[in-house]
Amino acid sequence: MTSSLTGNLKWWQSGIIYQIYPRSYQDDSGDGVGDLRGITRRLPYVASLGVRAVWLSPIFKSPMRDFGYDVADYCAIDPLFGTLEDFDALVAQAHRLGLKIMLDYVPNHSSSDHAWFQEALTGPSSAKRDWYVWRDPAPGGGVPNNWKSFFGGPAWTLDGASGQYYLHQFLPSQPDLNWRNPAVRAAMFDVLRFWMRRGVDGFRVDVIWLLAEDNRYLDEPRNPDWQPGQPEHSSLLHPYTQDQPETHGYIREMRAVLEEFDDRMMVGEIYLPVDRLLTYSGTEDARMVHLPFNFHLILLPWNAAQVRQFTDGYDAACLAAGAWPNWVLGNHDQRRFRSRVGDAQYRVAQTLLLTLRGTPTVYYGDEIGMRDVVIPADRIVDPAALQQPDSPEAGRDPERTPMQWDDAVNAGFSAPGTTPWLPLADDAVILNVAAQEQDPASDLNYFRALTRLREGHPALIGGTYRSVDAPEDVFAFVREGHGETLTVLLNMGSREHDLGGLTRGETLLSSLGDRPASGAPLRPDEARILR
Ligand code: GLC
């Protein structure tokens, strides 16, 4: 596992994962929403980035109340995105280009429109009743306990016909599947097999740490650190609705299904501290997910000391657990990282993501430096925002806006004359792929320079990681392997630093676009890679 020979590494260890939010990548059908044919047409661009795999956020049949994370049929493509034939063509084209395809698997909940839930609603004696989680009202009436939905309000909704409540960790239209029921597990495992037989190489597994709940249904305790304005869900701690022992068992079964096929993988969405997070890798004799998503670069304050401290601890913990590390700066649920760290630090962050030890996952548009887009009140569509008007940070539309391809009306995402489902960034006319293709000094070409550097210097992929002491504001580390030692210097502050011996060597890449001489001081907001 910790071999420094990249030849021994699997594709999901040596390669970069690129996340596409299908609604926003390329609209070829002219309805203002992206689609599979659009993505297929853009795959040569994706391949040109030097990434290895594409993860598609959900494309399955859905009423789109949570934009596809509410699945009404796990084995059908939503007509908005195209057909199964379009999907097969996408997979074939990806494979021709050397790209792996990963789907978003949403096992915790289905849509309330799913035939299973519709059947469950016919009454307590229905064969599908126990496929979801039902409880009687509390003794005095009302919801069974205090559990809350991630999108605000109770996690329980009353089914008037039967007088029972059903559980939903998200919208009432996203009822939680009952993973304790073996029939549910069998059906959901068949979904994985269905897509693997169609050539899918891997899965990103939605909220995998939420699959089971404690079946005593006790109230969850209050979170003493919660502040008004933060989402209501975080006003409670979650000892009974997250990270349950049963969930670990279900994931081991899921892993066994992946092992029925060659060279497949899954990455799990898990927001937990490192010690709990790494338990999701499993052990040598009982593997779980291949990669438990590490979101800590998103959650940490952007300063050198804290990023170093976290990275040292995480890298060591991964080695101890026999887990392969991974890194994320953004996704469809989080602010764009350029907006978070600021323009000056944008390339520093990009360099960090692509040079740390472990698999990077890149969110579409981050390679050209897209920013969060301010969404006018009448264009907000995300249920997390609409249901929680008092939590301004809850909305996810700003990071989901259409890809900026060129300077045409609708930025080449949609034909001029259509209204994209979310507004485009005001600066799309200047900040777009076509403009950056022309400019050797663009963010896009800086991204490509980083991925080429990884290709050309396997120490950046399979080499060891070790941080080095440096002045406050500077995060410095060494990647070593294959007979090469590379030093990565990240100035996370706005002062110049004379780093003496650390800057000695040949500059392979600087975020400021030049090749500083050996020993030259590290400039404000500069990222530099030396050998
Ligand atoms: C995950 C997804 C998010 C979705 C939620 C419910 O957190 O990333 O977009 O709303 O699950 O499925």
Side-chain angles (χ1 to χ4, degrees):
M1 200 64 163
T2 56
S3 156
S4 65
L5 291 171
T6 55
N8 291 346
L9 296 177
K10 301 279 196 185
W11 61 267
W12 49 270
Q13 295 176 303
S14 58
I16 298 167
I17 301 171
Y18 182 77
Q19 178 188 0
I20 289 181
Y21 193 70
R23 298 181 66 88
S24 291
Y25 209 59
Q26 179 64 56
D27 167 24
D28 273 9
S29 66
D31 59 1
V33 177
D35 43 57
L36 297 182
R37 288 182 179 211
I39 294 171
T40 305
R41 181 159 70 81
R42 294 296 189 179
L43 284 178
Y45 164 79
V46 176
S48 82
L49 298 174
V51 302
R52 183 72 170 96
V54 175
W55 147 33
L56 301 175
S57 281
I59 52 174
F60 316 107
K61 193 164 185 303
S62 166
M64 301 290 163
R65 297 187 189 103
D66 190 20
F67 300 107
Y69 285 96
D70 46 333
V71 181
D73 183 343
Y74 288 98
C75 296
I77 304 288
D78 195 276
L80 199 57
F81 295 123
T83 62
L84 263 180
E85 290 68 42
D86 294 333
F87 179 73
D88 291 341
L90 185 156
V91 173
Q93 168 71 339
H95 287 169
R96 270 194 293 275
L97 292 165
L99 294 167
K100 303 281 186 181
I101 289 291
M102 296 165 59
L103 290 183
D104 213 313
Y105 176 59
V106 190
N108 178 69
H109 46 269
S110 72
S111 160
S112 52
D113 288 11
H114 198 293
W116 299 338
F117 190 70
Q118 288 302 312
E119 192 178 334
L121 277 181
T122 61
S125 59
S126 131
K128 293 285 187 306
R129 186 71 169 186
D130 188 50
W131 283 43
Y132 295 86
V133 182
W134 299 91
R135 301 294 290 163
D136 289 329
V143 288
N145 63 25
N146 75 346
W147 294 358
K148 290 193 188 306
S149 147
F150 273 85
F151 293 155
W156 298 99
T157 288
L158 181 67
D159 162 37
S162 66
Q164 284 193 312
Y165 285 83
Y166 65 88
L167 178 71
H168 51 88
Q169 294 236 41
F170 294 90
L171 295 173
S173 57
Q174 292 169 298
D176 266 47
L177 283 160
N178 177 15
W179 272 73
R180 290 176 193 279
N181 184 335
V184 168
R185 303 208 293 278
M188 288 305 290
F189 294 154
D190 278 343
V191 170
L192 292 171
R193 294 186 184 100
F194 174 86
W195 292 110
M196 286 191 283
R197 281 190 201 111
R198 284 201 111 86
V200 166
D201 302 288
F203 301 92
R204 175 269 189 183
V205 188
D206 193 62
V207 297
I208 197 170
W209 88 116
L210 306 183
L211 286 181
E213 292 77 33
D214 186 298
N215 59 3
R216 292 168 298 167
Y217 298 95
L218 303 171
D219 275 0
E220 293 198 315
R222 304 230 142 263
N223 174 3
D225 299 328
W226 181 78
Q227 306 283 331
Q230 292 175 342
E232 197 187 334
H233 183 259
S234 46
S235 68
L236 298 179
L237 301 173
H238 305 292
Y240 305 129
T241 54
Q242 304 191 355
D243 192 24
Q244 301 297 303
E246 291 83 352
T247 295
H248 291 236
Y250 306 149
I251 298 173
R252 279 184 215 106
E253 291 178 31
M254 208 180 271
R255 174 65 177 253
V257 175
L258 265 70
E259 298 294 338
E260 294 168 13
F261 296 73
D262 257 8
D263 209 18
R264 312 300 157 107
M265 69 82 82
M266 58 177 163
V267 46
E269 185 198 19
I270 305 163
Y271 284 89
L272 284 176
V274 168
D275 57 335
R276 293 302 312 155
L277 180 64
L278 290 185
T279 62
Y280 284 78
S281 294
T283 54
E284 210 163 312
D285 45 345
R287 286 281 168 220
M288 293 166 61
V289 298
H290 300 72
L291 298 173
F293 260 141
N294 162 22
F295 296 123
H296 290 269
L297 284 184
I298 297 175
L299 307 170
L300 278 173
W302 192 250
N303 77 61
Q306 273 171 285
V307 172
R308 177 187 184 183
Q309 189 188 25
F310 175 80
T311 306
D312 287 356
Y314 174 70
D315 192 80
C318 286
L319 287 172
W324 185 254
N326 75 92
W327 301 93
V328 183
L329 282 173
N331 61 38
H332 64 294
D333 295 327
Q334 303 290 344
R335 296 189 63 197
R336 289 261 176 200
F337 85 82
R338 182 168 192 170
S339 298
R340 213 171 54 240
V341 305
D343 287 349
Q345 282 288 304
Y346 162 74
R347 287 191 183 187
V348 174
Q350 194 74 283
T351 310
L352 176 71
L353 176 70
L354 295 174
T355 57
L356 285 170
R357 191 176 78 86
T359 305
T361 299
V362 173
Y363 186 50
Y364 85 93
D366 280 353
E367 73 277 18
I368 55 169
M370 280 174 61
R371 300 186 186 86
D372 282 345
V373 175
V374 178
I375 311 290
D378 63 344
R379 298 286 307 267
I380 295 177
V381 292
D382 179 16
L386 295 171
Q387 293 215 151
Q388 304 177 94
D390 299 333
S391 304
E393 293 280 292
R396 302 167 297 178
D397 295 325
E399 62 263 24
R400 296 177 174 181
T401 60
M403 181 68 176
Q404 297 158 206
W405 294 106
D406 58 38
D407 63 2
V409 178
N410 289 335
F413 163 72
S414 231
T418 56
T419 305
W421 75 289
L422 278 176
L424 276 142
D426 288 340
D427 62 359
V429 195
I430 44 172
L431 200 166
N432 59 62
V433 171
Q436 295 198 17
E437 291 280 10
Q438 305 305 314
D439 174 8
S442 66
D443 291 331
L444 173 60
N445 282 316
Y446 183 69
F447 182 91
R448 289 189 176 125
L450 282 167
T451 61
R452 267 198 309 271
L453 204 69
R454 285 171 61 93
E455 284 299 312
H457 299 273
L460 288 175
I461 295 172
T464 56
Y465 157 90
R466 160 170 63 85
S467 69
V468 183
D469 288 339
E472 193 191 344
D473 282 354
V474 176
F475 179 27
F477 58 90
V478 170
R479 300 293 315 279
E480 195 162 10
H482 303 269
E484 224 181 15
T485 303
L486 301 190
T487 303
V488 180
L489 302 174
L490 305 170
N491 193 342
M492 297 172 71
S494 50
R495 276 173 307 161
E496 179 167 293
H497 290 282
D498 192 339
L499 299 179
L502 273 184
T503 39
R504 211 162 297 134
E506 176 198 354
T507 297
L508 296 174
L509 186 67
S510 164
S511 62
L512 301 182
D514 53 2
R515 298 270 169 127
S518 175
L522 189 68
R523 292 158 291 177
D525 304 302
E526 181 183 2
R528 193 186 297 174
I529 303 167
L530 299 126
R531 122 171 106 183

XYZ file of all heavy atoms in Angstrom, residues 276-336:
495
model
N -11.959 8.946 13.398
C -13.168 8.221 12.990
C -13.185 8.011 11.473
O -13.581 6.960 10.981
C -14.436 8.978 13.413
C -14.662 9.070 14.905
C -14.739 7.726 15.581
N -15.632 6.785 14.910
C -15.536 5.465 14.980
N -14.560 4.920 15.702
N -16.396 4.682 14.354
N -12.762 9.025 10.741
C -12.767 8.967 9.275
C -12.013 7.743 8.763
O -12.487 7.001 7.904
C -12.119 10.248 8.738
C -12.002 10.409 7.234
C -13.393 10.484 6.613
C -11.203 11.667 6.870
N -10.823 7.519 9.327
C -9.972 6.459 8.785
C -10.479 5.059 9.114
O -10.090 4.092 8.457
C -8.523 6.654 9.238
C -7.832 7.855 8.586
C -6.377 7.925 8.979
C -7.961 7.834 7.070
N -11.376 4.951 10.082
C -11.939 3.621 10.328
C -12.718 3.137 9.101
O -12.920 1.936 8.922
C -12.879 3.582 11.558
O -13.986 4.452 11.319
C -12.165 4.006 12.829
N -13.130 4.088 8.238
C -13.904 3.709 7.046
C -13.048 3.082 5.945
O -13.577 2.636 4.934
C -14.686 4.925 6.514
C -15.900 5.200 7.374
C -15.784 5.849 8.600
C -17.159 4.759 6.985
C -16.879 6.074 9.407
C -18.277 4.978 7.786
C -18.119 5.631 8.995
O -19.220 5.834 9.791
N -11.730 3.093 6.134
C -10.880 2.344 5.198
C -10.937 0.864 5.510
O -10.533 0.043 4.699
C -9.417 2.769 5.340
O -9.274 4.073 4.931
N -11.367 0.536 6.719
C -11.396 -0.859 7.129
C -10.007 -1.330 7.527
O -9.087 -0.526 7.747
N -9.881 -2.624 7.621
C -8.604 -3.215 7.998
C -8.165 -4.128 6.869
O -8.938 -4.394 5.948
C -8.761 -4.051 9.283
O -9.824 -4.981 9.054
C -9.101 -3.176 10.475
N -6.947 -4.627 6.982
C -6.399 -5.430 5.893
C -7.290 -6.628 5.539
O -7.458 -6.956 4.365
C -5.013 -5.912 6.279
C -4.127 -6.092 5.087
C -2.667 -6.166 5.512
O -2.221 -5.303 6.298
O -2.002 -7.104 5.077
N -7.879 -7.246 6.552
C -8.722 -8.411 6.236
C -10.190 -8.040 6.052
O -10.999 -8.899 5.681
C -8.554 -9.500 7.311
C -8.599 -8.933 8.708
O -8.470 -7.698 8.848
O -8.778 -9.711 9.651
N -10.562 -6.812 6.300
C -11.954 -6.403 6.085
C -11.964 -4.974 5.571
O -12.149 -4.015 6.317
C -12.744 -6.513 7.383
N -11.735 -4.834 4.272
C -11.663 -3.516 3.658
C -13.042 -2.873 3.574
O -14.053 -3.556 3.426
C -11.058 -3.620 2.259
C -9.555 -3.875 2.290
C -8.806 -2.591 2.581
N -7.408 -2.820 2.888
C -6.730 -2.162 3.838
N -7.321 -1.263 4.579
N -5.475 -2.406 4.037
N -13.043 -1.551 3.637
C -14.309 -0.816 3.480
C -14.189 0.099 2.258
O -14.007 -0.409 1.166
C -14.643 -0.101 4.786
C -14.964 -1.101 5.901
S -14.993 -0.420 7.567
C -16.278 0.794 7.493
N -14.261 1.422 2.411
C -14.139 2.248 1.199
C -12.665 2.392 0.808
O -11.787 2.362 1.662
C -14.777 3.654 1.366
C -16.258 3.548 1.639
C -14.081 4.473 2.431
N -12.415 2.567 -0.493
C -11.034 2.745 -0.950
C -10.507 4.096 -0.495
O -9.349 4.220 -0.123
C -10.958 2.630 -2.477
C -11.422 1.291 -2.984
N -12.746 0.917 -2.971
C -10.729 0.247 -3.494
C -12.850 -0.307 -3.466
N -11.642 -0.741 -3.785
N -11.372 5.095 -0.567
C -10.990 6.430 -0.096
C -12.129 7.001 0.752
O -13.240 7.167 0.246
C -10.748 7.373 -1.281
C -9.639 7.037 -2.275
C -9.682 8.011 -3.462
C -8.264 7.088 -1.616
N -11.872 7.297 2.016
C -12.860 8.064 2.785
C -12.545 9.552 2.564
O -11.470 10.010 2.921
C -12.574 7.665 4.244
C -11.329 6.798 4.219
C -10.728 6.845 2.848
N -13.450 10.269 1.916
C -13.175 11.668 1.555
C -12.634 12.457 2.743
O -13.236 12.456 3.821
C -14.445 12.358 1.062
C -14.554 12.465 -0.432
C -15.788 12.288 -1.047
C -13.451 12.766 -1.222
C -15.915 12.394 -2.431
C -13.568 12.883 -2.613
C -14.801 12.699 -3.207
N -11.521 13.123 2.512
C -10.924 13.967 3.548
C -11.256 15.420 3.222
O -10.645 16.018 2.343
C -9.413 13.726 3.571
C -8.661 14.833 4.268
O -9.218 15.572 5.083
N -7.389 14.981 3.940
N -12.233 15.986 3.942
C -12.694 17.349 3.654
C -12.014 18.399 4.524
O -12.460 19.539 4.567
C -14.206 17.432 3.877
C -15.008 16.565 2.938
C -15.884 15.603 3.429
C -14.900 16.719 1.564
C -16.626 14.811 2.565
C -15.644 15.931 0.700
C -16.510 14.974 1.198
N -10.957 18.002 5.237
C -10.439 18.918 6.253
C -9.791 20.179 5.687
O -9.775 21.203 6.358
C -9.537 18.162 7.232
C -10.345 17.232 8.094
N -10.863 17.617 9.302
C -10.783 15.970 7.890
C -11.564 16.614 9.820
N -11.531 15.596 8.973
N -9.295 20.124 4.442
C -8.746 21.373 3.878
C -9.864 22.394 3.641
O -9.608 23.587 3.544
C -8.028 21.115 2.548
C -6.645 20.469 2.587
C -6.079 20.387 1.170
C -5.684 21.228 3.493
N -11.087 21.903 3.519
C -12.222 22.817 3.355
C -12.601 23.414 4.709
O -12.985 24.567 4.815
C -13.443 22.059 2.781
C -13.130 21.522 1.372
C -14.684 22.922 2.788
C -14.249 20.662 0.784
N -12.466 22.597 5.742
C -12.989 22.998 7.050
C -11.985 23.807 7.872
O -12.365 24.579 8.744
C -13.425 21.746 7.830
C -14.387 20.828 7.058
C -14.583 19.500 7.779
C -15.745 21.500 6.846
N -10.672 23.628 7.581
C -9.639 24.296 8.378
C -9.522 25.773 8.020
O -9.707 26.139 6.866
C -8.274 23.690 8.044
C -7.847 22.396 8.695
C -6.544 21.936 8.049
C -7.639 22.614 10.190
N -9.111 26.611 9.003
C -8.756 27.980 8.641
C -7.535 27.949 7.717
O -6.697 27.051 7.828
C -8.411 28.649 9.971
C -8.526 27.627 11.029
C -8.920 26.315 10.426
N -7.465 28.891 6.787
C -6.397 28.876 5.784
C -5.142 29.534 6.356
O -4.865 30.698 6.116
C -6.871 29.581 4.503
C -5.953 29.356 3.363
C -5.136 30.270 2.767
C -5.741 28.121 2.674
N -4.423 29.674 1.757
C -4.786 28.354 1.676
C -6.272 26.831 2.806
C -4.334 27.350 0.818
C -5.830 25.844 1.953
C -4.870 26.115 0.974
N -4.397 28.805 7.161
C -3.108 29.348 7.596
C -2.094 28.209 7.708
O -2.447 27.051 7.959
C -3.216 30.187 8.870
C -3.363 29.347 10.118
O -2.488 28.538 10.459
N -4.475 29.536 10.804
N -0.822 28.590 7.491
C 0.234 27.593 7.302
C 0.361 26.668 8.507
O 0.502 25.449 8.349
C 1.558 28.292 7.009
N 0.300 27.236 9.707
C 0.526 26.410 10.894
C -0.557 25.341 11.019
O -0.253 24.156 11.262
C 0.548 27.285 12.143
N -1.799 25.742 10.820
C -2.867 24.753 10.984
C -2.899 23.731 9.859
O -3.173 22.560 10.091
C -4.207 25.459 11.159
C -4.409 25.785 12.634
C -5.590 26.673 12.887
O -5.514 27.864 12.615
N -6.660 26.096 13.379
N -2.596 24.178 8.652
C -2.601 23.230 7.534
C -1.445 22.234 7.717
O -1.608 21.035 7.505
C -2.523 23.968 6.180
C -2.331 22.989 5.040
C -3.788 24.790 5.956
N -0.298 22.737 8.170
C 0.828 21.821 8.400
C 0.494 20.809 9.501
O 0.717 19.608 9.335
C 2.081 22.603 8.810
C 3.238 21.656 9.136
C 4.447 22.362 9.709
N 5.529 21.394 9.909
C 6.705 21.693 10.449
N 6.947 22.939 10.827
N 7.603 20.752 10.608
N -0.021 21.318 10.588
C -0.310 20.432 11.717
C -1.307 19.342 11.292
O -1.133 18.162 11.589
C -0.880 21.251 12.870
C -0.994 20.438 14.135
C -1.750 21.197 15.222
O -2.560 22.082 14.935
N -1.483 20.837 16.460
N -2.333 19.766 10.559
C -3.309 18.774 10.119
C -2.660 17.748 9.192
O -2.837 16.527 9.349
C -4.501 19.430 9.404
C -5.423 18.374 8.861
C -6.334 17.744 9.689
C -5.301 17.925 7.549
C -7.123 16.698 9.220
C -6.088 16.873 7.079
C -6.999 16.271 7.917
N -1.900 18.242 8.208
C -1.331 17.350 7.198
C -0.379 16.337 7.829
O -0.416 15.144 7.499
C -0.616 18.164 6.105
O -1.540 19.126 5.585
C -0.133 17.281 4.980
N 0.455 16.804 8.743
C 1.381 15.881 9.423
C 0.598 14.763 10.118
O 0.924 13.577 9.993
C 2.217 16.624 10.480
C 3.288 17.511 9.846
O 3.424 17.492 8.609
O 3.974 18.230 10.614
N -0.433 15.167 10.845
C -1.209 14.182 11.607
C -1.952 13.223 10.688
O -1.978 12.007 10.912
N -2.537 13.783 9.630
C -3.332 12.954 8.717
C -2.436 11.973 7.956
O -2.761 10.789 7.827
C -4.094 13.863 7.759
C -4.849 13.142 6.661
C -5.984 12.381 6.951
C -4.444 13.239 5.334
C -6.679 11.722 5.939
C -5.141 12.590 4.320
C -6.250 11.829 4.629
O -6.933 11.186 3.632
N -1.305 12.467 7.454
C -0.407 11.597 6.690
C 0.073 10.435 7.570
O 0.053 9.269 7.145
C 0.791 12.393 6.155
C 1.579 11.586 5.121
O 1.145 11.528 3.961
O 2.605 10.989 5.505
N 0.448 10.763 8.805
C 0.925 9.712 9.715
C -0.206 8.739 10.046
O -0.004 7.514 10.077
C 1.468 10.345 10.995
N -1.396 9.265 10.258
C -2.533 8.397 10.599
C -2.868 7.471 9.431
O -3.234 6.304 9.633
C -3.743 9.241 10.991
N -2.760 7.977 8.203
C -3.028 7.128 7.028
C -2.008 5.996 6.959
O -2.373 4.838 6.705
C -2.986 7.950 5.743
S -4.419 8.994 5.524
N -0.744 6.329 7.183
C 0.285 5.284 7.150
C -0.012 4.222 8.209
O 0.038 3.020 7.940
C 1.669 5.890 7.387
C 2.250 6.709 6.233
C 3.532 7.409 6.662
C 2.495 5.823 5.009
N -0.360 4.693 9.403
C -0.612 3.750 10.496
C -1.828 2.872 10.193
O -1.857 1.694 10.560
C -0.829 4.515 11.804
N -2.813 3.443 9.512
C -4.047 2.691 9.242
C -3.955 1.892 7.943
O -4.899 1.178 7.582
C -5.233 3.656 9.175
N -2.848 2.041 7.201
C -2.759 1.370 5.898
C -3.761 1.946 4.911
O -4.244 1.259 4.010
N -4.073 3.238 5.084
C -5.065 3.894 4.214
C -4.355 4.818 3.247
O -3.339 5.425 3.590
C -6.040 4.702 5.063
N -4.891 4.938 2.038
C -4.317 5.860 1.067
C -4.931 7.247 1.297
O -6.149 7.366 1.357
C -4.598 5.361 -0.357
C -3.923 6.203 -1.395
C -4.524 7.101 -2.229
C -2.520 6.253 -1.690
N -3.585 7.694 -3.029
C -2.338 7.200 -2.724
C -1.397 5.589 -1.186
C -1.096 7.498 -3.256
C -0.155 5.897 -1.721
C -0.003 6.827 -2.743
N -4.106 8.301 1.416
C -4.666 9.628 1.702
C -5.406 10.228 0.502
O -5.194 9.792 -0.636
C -3.433 10.482 2.024
C -2.239 9.602 1.893
C -2.642 8.289 1.335
N -6.234 11.215 0.754
C -6.874 11.950 -0.341
C -7.219 13.354 0.131
O -7.333 13.602 1.323
C -8.121 11.212 -0.840
C -9.292 11.349 0.104
O -10.117 12.254 -0.025
N -9.360 10.475 1.105
N -7.363 14.264 -0.849
C -7.511 15.689 -0.545
C -8.576 16.337 -1.423
O -8.710 15.997 -2.593
C -6.180 16.406 -0.768
C -5.078 15.846 0.083
C -4.185 14.874 -0.269
C -4.776 16.189 1.446
N -3.340 14.610 0.789
C -3.673 15.408 1.853
C -5.332 17.105 2.360
C -3.118 15.501 3.128
C -4.776 17.201 3.631
C -3.679 16.405 4.000
N -9.306 17.273 -0.836
C -10.395 17.939 -1.547
C -10.384 19.422 -1.168
O -10.228 19.744 0.008
C -11.766 17.364 -1.101
C -12.898 18.008 -1.899
C -11.818 15.857 -1.231
N -10.569 20.292 -2.153
C -10.722 21.713 -1.817
C -12.138 22.214 -2.038
O -12.510 23.262 -1.515
C -9.762 22.574 -2.645
C -8.301 22.601 -2.212
C -7.466 23.370 -3.235
C -8.149 23.244 -0.830
N -12.904 21.503 -2.858
C -14.249 21.995 -3.124
C -15.125 20.918 -3.707
O -14.640 19.923 -4.246
N -16.425 21.117 -3.578
C -17.410 20.247 -4.227
C -18.730 20.995 -4.321
O -18.796 22.191 -4.007
C -17.523 18.894 -3.495
C -17.979 19.039 -2.050
O -18.827 19.873 -1.726
N -17.408 18.235 -1.162
N -19.784 20.285 -4.743
C -21.065 20.935 -5.015
C -21.813 21.334 -3.741
O -22.921 21.858 -3.828
C -21.919 19.978 -5.843
C -22.246 18.722 -5.092
N -21.271 17.802 -4.730
C -23.401 18.262 -4.587
C -21.830 16.834 -4.042
N -23.121 17.088 -3.943
N -21.237 21.050 -2.578
C -21.877 21.422 -1.312
C -21.116 22.519 -0.577
O -21.525 22.925 0.508
C -21.944 20.205 -0.368
C -22.832 19.104 -0.897
O -23.829 19.410 -1.576
O -22.524 17.921 -0.628
N -19.984 22.953 -1.129
C -19.095 23.861 -0.400
C -18.767 25.075 -1.262
O -18.717 24.978 -2.483
C -17.781 23.136 -0.049
C -17.961 21.867 0.747
C -18.419 22.106 2.182
O -18.322 23.227 2.698
N -18.911 21.067 2.833
N -18.491 26.185 -0.603
C -18.091 27.392 -1.338
C -16.920 27.069 -2.266
O -16.086 26.221 -1.945
C -17.625 28.466 -0.343
C -18.698 28.935 0.585
C -18.200 30.143 1.382
N -17.908 31.253 0.476
C -17.161 32.319 0.805
N -16.606 32.402 1.992
N -16.970 33.284 -0.069
N -16.836 27.743 -3.408
C -15.676 27.603 -4.292
C -14.423 27.984 -3.516
O -14.409 28.996 -2.808
C -15.809 28.548 -5.488
C -16.883 28.133 -6.466
C -16.273 27.400 -7.624
N -17.292 26.915 -8.544
C -17.077 25.936 -9.414
N -15.890 25.352 -9.492
N -18.031 25.553 -10.227
